[in-house]
Amino acid sequence: MDSAGGQNAGSHQAYPRLLSPLRMGPVALRNRLVLGSMHTRLPLEGEASSALREFYVERARGGAALIITGGIAPNEAGRMEQGATVLARQSDVPHHARLAEAVHDAGSAIVMQILHAGRYAKHSAAVAPSSAAAPINRFVPRPLNEEEIEQTIGDYVRCALLAQEAGYDGVDIMGSEGYLINQFTAKRTNDRHDEWGGTATQRMRFALEIVRRIRGSVGASFAILYRISALDLVEDGATAEETAALARLLEAAGVNALTTGIGWHESRIPTIAHMVPRGAWRFAAARLKATVSIPVAASNRINTPGLAEEILATGEADLVVLARPLLADPEFLVKAASGRARRITPCIACNQACLDYIFTDRTATCLVNPRAGREHEYRPAPAQRRERIAVAGSGPAGLAFALTAASRGHEVTLFEASDRIGGQLRLACRVPGKEEFYSLLQHYTDEVDRLGVELRLGATLNATTVSREGFDRIVLATGVVPRTPRIDGVDHAKVSSYTEVLEGRVVPRARVAVVGAGAIAFDVAEYLTAPAKNHETRHFYRRWGVCPQGNTPGGLTAPEPDIVPRSVHLLQRTPGRPAARLGVSTGWIYRTALQRRKVDIRTGCEYVRIDDAGLHVAIDGKPQLIEVDDIVICAGQESQFPDLGEFGARGTPVHLIGGAREASGIDARRAIEEGYRLALSC
């Protein structure tokens, strides 16, 4: 966990490199922080376009010196999906001009990313260098012929010229993450035998021609950034030597700065999820910086000003690109520069409301900041009337409500039955790979103190307290308790709840069965099987097969097997894919890790009984005995709350939020948003 780098100090002296200016070709930047390109699904056109402008403007005002827009397609075939934004006509320019002007007025530079999806396009017009379909896309691309390649290059040039006309400071050419240009540069997706494929030099030609022709058209006063795939992390990806050669050629062709991408979307190595150590990919930016003289930006899993400063101070990069951390807190840099770094709302790299929303056709937002992407909808303002509000429960819902209400001027008293705040967040902190939740819990602890929330630990809220102290409003955020399934022998001595295990009150022995296969069950399985030193970067590389020093295709090597401390069976009652409701961007990581550790995952299980021999089940109607020493119940949750009648009878408004309102499907994202939304309405 990064807490170094002067994070608690309060001035420019704490982050001298991060806060220093930089010239990037024709563009002067006031500091080294860049808002990276993100898919938001906020519209650029129409009446709702103000939402996108507000999103970028808030982050410009928060200190980001450079804004890189979400990807804009240069032609119809290059769209990520139906309805995605294309810049190909003169009539499109005014929409972009309004966005560029708004960001400039807020004090930041802005460049437009040009992104052609290639074989990742989710429509029938997808094209690519070759005909191989992406494993993450059901659409099969059509190979571009030579005439179409020339036309596509011309579309890139036209798109850049229109961006220049719209008032952008430059363009960022997406050559990473497995999109079209990256598909040309990699042997994996380019099996052509003409002048656009074959040797590494010929595979680079498409990228270089795009840059050369754009530079020749826009002149020297318009910046060209190139998002280079610093590490492909796929079989038959580029080697370090090939990537370095491409970087040098891009500089010679007229690129002013390199932004870095890590891994293709189809890579089977996690790159930005919470189980990836902070700063794990800084070596890739450093390798490029040693190759070129133009500025290089580091990216991915950098989420504190201390870590950003360290990367810049050690000369590994010239800029840092943050995306999700600026979703979590748009004032990231302003707070760091003014001595308020501890007040930065931390990105916990959960992906639950950003990437997972994008992958499921929703507008991106943020688990820890529900206002992200909805700045036009949620407008916090001082309360019209100050109220005394009692909140029962300090889990994510109760904390979100208490802190938001207190920030609006209400007098809030927070009751917590245990001796610590956090609720289910405390359990999440115990799961290997979820150490980021510690930073969120520490942030909430600091904010409770800063905002003057009266915290009563070891105390429960009841009608007598409400009557005696005259609260104007009651908020019940008492959360959930584990559900006990109806299994004969469920009270056996070898049975424990997930809370008992994650809190460390019960230490399972060598053979364990986990009843349930939802998100909590996977967390428990991770807790039971994760090796020691799980959080260390070098062990992450070894476990996932990353070769940071070697010159291997895609930067891959053979992963080392984990030494697993227990034999674990994960049992799902329903048939079908295990834990189908896990996050789109993280579920595959959990499943892969557990499979490599030989966790026995079974579906379609009917639980018959528990006895001294173990857990008796029936699978496809066939009785089976799973011989285990311990059984952990992860079979759902039930709401926990006091008797509503004793509060409501006194006429005091009472609200239920989070798991107390509805236990089914509850998670931190929903809990925090419910607390936040209610606090804005009071």
Side-chain angles (χ1 to χ4, degrees):
M1 301 292 290
D2 168 64
S3 59
Q7 188 157 319
N8 297 331
S11 67
H12 283 54
Q13 285 73 30
Y15 312 107
R17 295 293 294 172
L18 181 60
L19 296 168
S20 64
L22 175 74
R23 178 160 285 279
M24 186 184 64
V27 180
L29 302 178
R30 52 183 166 153
N31 58 58
R32 308 296 182 96
L33 181 65
V34 179
L35 171 66
S37 175
M38 286 181 283
H39 301 298
T40 64
R41 203 167 272 114
L42 292 170
L44 179 68
E45 305 171 6
E47 294 181 4
S49 63
S50 62
L52 183 63
R53 291 196 295 275
E54 288 191 47
F55 174 80
Y56 286 131
V57 163
E58 184 151 312
R59 281 138 189 91
R61 289 174 179 160
L66 176 66
I67 305 292
I68 302 178
T69 72
I72 306 296
N75 56 31
E76 292 294 315
R79 294 168 299 156
M80 275 294 297
E81 59 192 5
Q82 299 292 342
T85 304
V86 178
L87 180 54
R89 300 181 299 273
Q90 189 72 35
S91 58
D92 298 325
V93 169
H95 308 297
H96 292 268
R98 285 191 289 271
L99 174 59
E101 181 181 17
V103 171
H104 286 151
D105 288 346
S108 296
I110 180 170
V111 300
M112 189 194 82
Q113 184 176 88
I114 307 178
L115 184 156
H116 191 301
R119 72 177 193 158
Y120 283 168
K122 297 178 182 179
H123 53 74
S124 59
V127 295
S130 305
S131 60
I136 59 173
N137 189 10
R138 66 183 178 87
F139 292 98
V140 178
R142 178 179 58 79
L144 290 163
N145 61 40
E146 292 194 47
E147 181 180 350
E148 290 170 326
I149 289 174
E150 288 289 345
Q151 179 59 52
T152 301
I153 294 172
D155 293 340
Y156 270 91
V157 173
R158 179 185 59 200
C159 187
L161 284 168
L162 291 172
Q164 185 177 36
E165 183 179 342
Y168 288 110
D169 298 287
V171 290
D172 179 45
I173 300 170
M174 170 54 90
S176 184
E177 266 82 3
Y179 292 113
L180 180 69
I181 296 177
N182 208 176
Q183 291 161 26
F184 268 94
T185 59
K187 184 179 179 182
R188 175 184 181 86
T189 43
N190 187 341
D191 61 5
R192 304 178 72 97
H193 299 289
D194 58 11
E195 57 187 0
W196 302 100
T199 67
T201 300
Q202 288 171 306
R203 294 198 305 272
M204 295 176 193
R205 186 182 172 211
F206 183 67
L208 295 171
E209 283 300 312
I210 288 171
V211 171
R212 291 187 187 116
R213 296 187 200 181
I214 289 178
R215 176 55 73 205
S217 298
V218 300
S221 62
F222 192 65
I224 299 178
L225 285 66
Y226 185 96
R227 180 154 165 163
I228 190 169
S229 184
L231 202 61
D232 284 343
L233 297 180
V234 290
E235 293 181 3
D236 286 330
T239 65
E241 288 180 359
E242 290 170 347
T243 303
L246 176 59
R248 289 190 292 269
L249 291 169
L250 288 167
E251 180 178 14
V255 166
N256 299 117
L258 293 174
T259 56
T260 52
I262 304 294
W264 290 28
H265 289 311
E266 63 199 71
S267 171
R268 293 294 89 185
I269 295 173
T271 57
I272 60 172
H274 50 75
M275 58 284 291
V276 180
R278 291 182 181 178
W281 311 113
R282 54 199 288 185
F283 75 85
R287 198 159 58 192
L288 285 169
K289 182 165 167 51
T291 300
V292 297
S293 60
I294 55 177
V296 173
S299 65
N300 289 34
R301 290 298 284 126
I302 304 167
N303 66 347
T304 69
L307 179 56
E309 177 67 24
E310 181 184 307
I311 291 170
L312 296 171
T314 55
E316 293 166 284
D318 305 285
L319 297 155
V320 289
V321 174
L322 305 187
R324 295 170 304 161
L326 299 188
L327 276 179
D329 196 332
E331 294 187 314
F332 182 98
L333 196 70
V334 165
K335 289 178 179 178
S338 59
R340 298 176 292 147
R342 285 191 65 129
R343 286 184 54 188
I344 294 172
T345 304
C347 168
I348 58 175
C350 66
N351 296 348
Q352 286 180 237
C354 50
L355 287 180
D356 286 354
Y357 270 33
I358 289 298
F359 292 151
T360 51
D361 300 327
R362 291 176 285 180
T363 300
T365 181
C366 178
L367 179 146
V368 300
N369 176 23
R371 188 165 181 268
R374 292 179 281 190
E375 288 79 8
H376 63 299
E377 178 183 347
Y378 291 146
R379 300 183 184 277
Q384 293 183 352
R385 184 176 72 87
R386 180 181 173 88
E387 294 183 353
R388 294 194 69 234
I389 304 176
V391 181
S394 69
L399 285 167
F401 175 87
L403 296 176
T404 306
S407 71
R408 298 187 62 226
H410 292 300
E411 182 181 344
V412 180
T413 302
L414 182 58
F415 293 80
E416 171 54 51
S418 72
D419 61 353
R420 291 170 295 168
I421 69 168
Q424 296 282 306
L425 290 177
R426 293 208 314 267
L427 297 181
C429 291
R430 301 274 297 172
V431 178
K434 286 192 172 181
E435 290 83 5
E436 287 289 1
F437 281 81
Y438 279 114
S439 62
L440 180 60
L441 197 52
Q442 183 59 57
H443 171 72
Y444 283 149
T445 301
D446 291 344
E447 290 295 279
V448 165
D449 182 62
R450 183 183 71 83
L451 291 168
V453 173
E454 181 186 349
L455 179 60
R456 299 186 189 179
L457 296 174
T460 57
L461 182 64
N462 54 49
T464 301
T465 305
V466 172
S467 178
R468 183 177 66 246
E469 301 194 29
F471 289 110
D472 302 306
R473 190 179 300 270
I474 307 299
V475 176
L476 300 180
T478 43
V480 295
V481 292
R483 187 180 72 84
T484 301
R486 295 179 178 177
I487 305 175
D488 184 19
V490 75
D491 57 349
H492 194 281
K494 64 174 58 179
V495 176
S496 307
S497 71
Y498 69 85
T499 57
E500 291 174 313
V501 171
L502 292 178
E503 288 173 350
R505 290 183 283 143
V506 173
V507 180
R509 288 158 287 183
R511 302 175 303 169
V512 185
V514 178
V515 173
I520 292 175
F522 269 75
D523 278 348
V524 168
E526 180 74 18
Y527 176 82
L528 294 173
T529 62
K533 302 180 180 178
N534 184 66
H535 63 286
E536 294 185 8
T537 303
R538 67 179 184 276
H539 291 288
F540 172 82
Y541 296 151
R542 293 172 185 169
R543 191 162 58 253
W544 287 97
V546 177
C547 183
Q549 292 83 24
N551 190 36
T552 59
L556 299 179
T557 188
E560 295 182 5
D562 287 334
I563 299 175
V564 182
R566 295 179 181 86
S567 170
V568 174
H569 304 267
L570 191 62
L571 309 174
Q572 178 173 296
R573 182 176 53 82
T574 58
R577 188 184 187 194
R581 289 189 290 180
L582 287 178
V584 178
S585 64
T586 55
W588 68 268
I589 303 173
Y590 282 110
R591 283 186 284 267
T592 300
L594 295 185
Q595 286 168 1
R596 289 179 180 176
R597 295 175 196 157
K598 303 297 189 287
V599 171
D600 175 32
I601 303 177
R602 306 190 194 187
T603 62
C605 298
E606 178 187 350
Y607 309 116
V608 179
R609 71 180 183 279
I610 297 167
D611 57 23
D612 290 345
L615 175 62
H616 297 261
V617 299
I619 301 177
D620 296 329
K622 298 178 181 179
Q624 295 188 29
L625 169 63
I626 301 176
E627 298 182 56
V628 290
D629 309 302
D630 289 277
I631 298 165
V632 184
I633 303 296
C634 304
Q637 302 160 312
E638 296 175 336
S639 297
Q640 171 180 250
F641 51 83
D643 181 6
L644 287 175
E646 68 171 331
F647 294 112
R650 298 177 181 276
T652 306
V654 180
H655 307 273
L656 279 172
I657 57 173
R661 184 185 67 81
E662 175 58 59
S664 177
I666 187 63
D667 58 15
R669 185 214 60 78
R670 197 190 91 192
I672 289 171
E673 180 163 7
E674 286 187 16
Y676 180 78
R677 188 170 60 242
L678 176 63
L680 291 186
S681 70
C682 295

